[in-house]
Amino acid sequence: MAERGARLGLPEMKLGVLPGAGGTQRLPRLIPPAIAKQMILTGEPIDAERAHALGLVNELAEPGKALSAAEALAAALTAGAPLALAAGKRLVDYGLGMDLEAAISYERETVSVLFSTEDRVEGLKAFRERRPGDFRGE
């Protein structure tokens, strides 16, 4: 979440160092390597709109509204089934490090496990009754 007009940058180069903690390795995996190099080597900030266009920021908020937008996103996430949410995060995070066939197999196994949960039963019941689910992580 970033506010429109905000500036984001990597000032390390201007300090005589590089972005550590994997910054030089993670950024080129998120955006085109040439753009990552320019950001890393110049240290010039980009605005929130550019970060959004590059996929570094999921959503833009009007100035002063970032917190309320983040709270709305958090509410939407917490309304979901916690086991499925955790599995979705895990599948994306670990799956990216696997070849496609292994990742799809991992997904198949995970979905099979979710089919045996009480949350899945509740989700289907809530859908049929046209109401929000009351998920308990079971």
Side-chain angles (χ1 to χ4, degrees), residues 26 29-30 84-99 103 106-107 110:
R26 289 186 178 102
R29 285 170 170 79
L30 296 173
L85 289 169
K89 287 173 57 176
R90 222 178 19 258
L91 283 165
V92 171
D93 291 345
Y94 296 146
L96 286 172
M98 300 175 177
D99 66 71
Y106 180 44
E107 177 189 68
T110 301

